[in-house]
Amino acid sequence: MTWDNLLDNVEELPADATLLTPLSQKPFHITDVQQHRVLIEYQGDSETVPLQREQFETLFKRVDDATGSFDLDRLPPGAEPYATVMSLHPRFTIDDRDGTLSESETPTASPLVDAHTVEQDDGPREEPDISVYADALLLIDALEQHDVTSLTELDVPTLVNLYTLLSDVQRNANDLRQEVRGVLLDRLHHDQPVSGQYGSVQRAVRRNRTLKDDEEVLELLEAEGIDLERVLTVDTSKLDDALEVTSLSESDVYEIEESEYVRKADVDEEMKETRLQGLKDQLAGADEDTTELQAEIEELEQRITELTSFDSGTSYHTRSTGG
């Protein structure tokens, strides 16, 4: 590796370029390039971190020893930025899906560098063609019209409207969340958290167990000297059939607990569309050049983001219902 070539490529980056660590996806900026080191700062942290030339040379040797493809999982703690910066060199490339740093004959742009400044788009706003956006906009409108901190003071129609919109937002947000999750699963290859602007996620494994064939399981247990009566339980499906031909009632053999809940029965899509179109017309017909309106639009976008964003600190509980 030629140190001078690496520094030349580093210095060609815009001053506001954002780089990401390859595994944890932590954003950082290069603040200075010196003769024997590169200085960086992690986003949101004012502490300067020096990346030393000799450590870059050590990483190069590890890539070379790995026959041209180095597994980034083998990086020591705190060394991820070295791999990102090295990927700026034309001879090295990072595969962020496979989690490898490799020597390359063909120069390629690093996937971990955003060298473009995000500027305010002064052109016409384009609404995303997804259901959750429309429902969230309607919900925000309803929340602005009513004081939901005092739900007991609201009339029934208003509560019904709020419940319907909340239900629609939840359903459509969950559908979109699952689509996003599917794409993320293809890109997360490690159990380390990956951070974004609003939170972080990490790949996890859920372990499900399904019992094998009953006869096979019982034979195995019996061969190990297990008393089969200890593992045999009542088959509820057969029990229900037996109840139909006996004088026993359901409550004789089941502990029954009932809980009441509200279920959304219908949605007036036509009324939602009418109100939604009115909100869109208000936004489109207003004077977009005024500072006050721009502030209102930004506030609305922020509320939509807060409503639909992932909150890693929230727990969701499902109330069980009796059968």
Side-chain angles (χ1 to χ4, degrees), residues 294-305:
Q294 185 62 39
E296 291 179 358
I297 291 175
E298 291 176 357
E299 182 181 357
L300 177 61
E301 290 175 335
Q302 178 64 26
R303 291 186 182 182
I304 291 175
T305 300

Side-chain angles (χ1 to χ4, degrees), residues 176-323:
L176 182 59
R177 181 182 65 87
Q178 292 185 33
E179 292 179 20
V180 172
R181 180 182 62 188
V183 176
L184 272 175
L185 282 174
D186 291 335
R187 301 186 183 182
L188 301 179
H189 298 278
H190 309 275
D191 60 0
Q192 295 169 304
V194 177
S195 300
Q197 182 179 2
Y198 299 113
S200 62
V201 298
Q202 67 184 113
R203 192 180 185 95
V205 177
R206 181 181 292 111
R207 186 169 179 265
N208 294 320
R209 299 193 310 170
T210 303
L211 197 63
K212 294 183 178 181
D213 179 74
D214 287 356
E215 270 189 32
E216 179 183 352
V217 173
L218 292 175
E219 287 177 2
L220 290 171
L221 293 174
E222 190 172 22
E224 293 294 323
I226 301 297
D227 183 1
L228 298 187
E229 290 185 0
R230 293 175 54 190
V231 296
L232 294 178
T233 59
V234 176
D235 187 329
T236 56
S237 62
K238 295 179 180 179
L239 179 59
D240 288 339
D241 291 338
L243 288 178
E244 295 182 2
V245 295
T246 67
S247 59
L248 296 172
S249 67
E250 187 181 30
S251 60
D252 289 331
V253 294
Y254 286 106
E255 293 289 345
I256 300 174
E257 180 181 352
E258 294 184 352
S259 60
E260 296 182 345
Y261 67 100
V262 175
R263 181 178 65 86
K264 185 179 67 176
D266 191 23
V267 178
D268 191 335
E269 297 291 351
E270 184 176 349
M271 179 58 70
K272 284 175 59 179
E273 183 60 34
T274 299
R275 179 57 183 162
L276 182 62
Q277 189 59 50
L279 293 172
K280 293 177 182 178
D281 291 343
Q282 289 178 29
L283 289 174
D287 182 8
E288 294 190 7
D289 293 331
T290 63
T291 304
E292 182 178 354
L293 176 64
Q294 185 62 39
E296 291 179 358
I297 291 175
E298 291 176 357
E299 182 181 357
L300 177 61
E301 290 175 335
Q302 178 64 26
R303 291 186 182 182
I304 291 175
T305 300
E306 291 173 352
L307 181 67
T308 58
S309 63
F310 167 75
D311 183 354
S312 60
T314 302
S315 299
Y316 297 89
H317 302 279
T318 303
R319 180 181 296 178
S320 61
T321 58

Side-chain angles (χ1 to χ4, degrees), residues 109-223:
S110 174
L112 300 175
V113 178
D114 181 6
H116 303 286
T117 303
V118 179
E119 300 179 353
Q120 180 68 33
D121 184 6
D122 295 328
R125 298 179 72 247
E126 294 184 5
E127 63 185 57
D129 186 20
I130 52 177
S131 298
V132 69
Y133 176 85
D135 288 329
L137 192 59
L138 287 169
L139 178 59
I140 290 169
D141 176 57
L143 293 175
E144 289 178 341
Q145 293 184 50
H146 306 286
D147 182 9
V148 295
T149 61
S150 301
L151 291 176
T152 55
E153 298 180 9
L154 299 180
D155 57 28
V156 171
T158 298
L159 291 170
V160 170
N161 288 339
L162 285 171
Y163 188 87
T164 300
L165 292 173
L166 287 165
S167 178
D168 287 346
V169 168
Q170 180 188 39
R171 183 190 69 249
N172 292 321
N174 190 56
D175 289 344
L176 182 59
R177 181 182 65 87
Q178 292 185 33
E179 292 179 20
V180 172
R181 180 182 62 188
V183 176
L184 272 175
L185 282 174
D186 291 335
R187 301 186 183 182
L188 301 179
H189 298 278
H190 309 275
D191 60 0
Q192 295 169 304
V194 177
S195 300
Q197 182 179 2
Y198 299 113
S200 62
V201 298
Q202 67 184 113
R203 192 180 185 95
V205 177
R206 181 181 292 111
R207 186 169 179 265
N208 294 320
R209 299 193 310 170
T210 303
L211 197 63
K212 294 183 178 181
D213 179 74
D214 287 356
E215 270 189 32
E216 179 183 352
V217 173
L218 292 175
E219 287 177 2
L220 290 171
L221 293 174
E222 190 172 22

